[in-house]
Amino acid sequence: MWWSEPRLARRRLLTLAGLGLLAGCGFRLRGTTALPFRSLHLGFDPLSPMGQELRRQLAAVPDLRVVDDPRQAEAVFEVLDDGLQRGVGSRTAAGQVRELTLHVRLRFRVRRANGDVWLEETLLTLSQPMSYNETDALAKESEESQLVRSMREDLAAQAVRRLAALQR
């Protein structure tokens, strides 16, 4: 019979062993984040892309309301600095830009409703080099916006993890 062939039986045994190893490695999906408060005020400028990204990620947290009035919040996310910088990473011998470096930063602290500091001033930064060519300026502009969006998503996820690590 076809299932009793030694090669096929060996292949099935190896496949089952591999699945067994994956099941035993401790892998599990991240799941939802539990925060130690039920309402949060975000102190971002309303047009801040970083604020919009953090708000989007916090929308997935169960039992959390993001409120506009800090007096209605159990926690206040105070934004001290939210910025993006572009710097020249390197130039050609002719002085043309060859590489840019993108820096995204978020400096914040979290206060309780009574004004006590819950999380001291925290600085999250990401830097990403990006090649540059003047002849492909439009494509590089699109690449830069995608990189910046990705970096902001990563910073927002880091901020949510910091919030989740807070103790009641």
Side-chain angles (χ1 to χ4, degrees), residues 25-46:
C25 74
F27 173 79
R28 69 180 167 98
L29 294 174
R30 199 175 275 166
T32 59
T33 305
L35 298 179
F37 44 82
R38 293 185 181 224
S39 59
L40 176 68
H41 170 75
L42 295 176
F44 285 96
D45 180 89

Side-chain angles (χ1 to χ4, degrees), residues 58-79:
L58 288 171
V61 176
D63 300 327
L64 177 71
R65 285 182 318 129
V66 177
V67 296
D68 293 330
D69 185 4
R71 294 172 293 193
Q72 296 175 346
E74 290 180 42
V76 176
F77 188 96
E78 293 181 346
V79 178

Side-chain angles (χ1 to χ4, degrees), residues 122-138:
T122 303
L123 175 65
L124 302 176
T125 62
L126 284 175
S127 297
Q128 180 73 41
M130 181 184 103
S131 64
Y132 186 77
N133 186 346
E134 288 182 11
T135 59
D136 299 329
L138 191 57

Side-chain angles (χ1 to χ4, degrees), residues 94-115:
Q96 293 178 328
V97 175
R98 180 183 198 127
E99 184 179 84
L100 294 174
T101 305
L102 305 172
H103 302 279
V104 177
R105 72 187 169 286
L106 175 62
R107 202 174 91 228
F108 66 95
R109 80 174 139 237
V110 179
R111 293 189 178 275
R112 295 179 189 266
N114 63 9

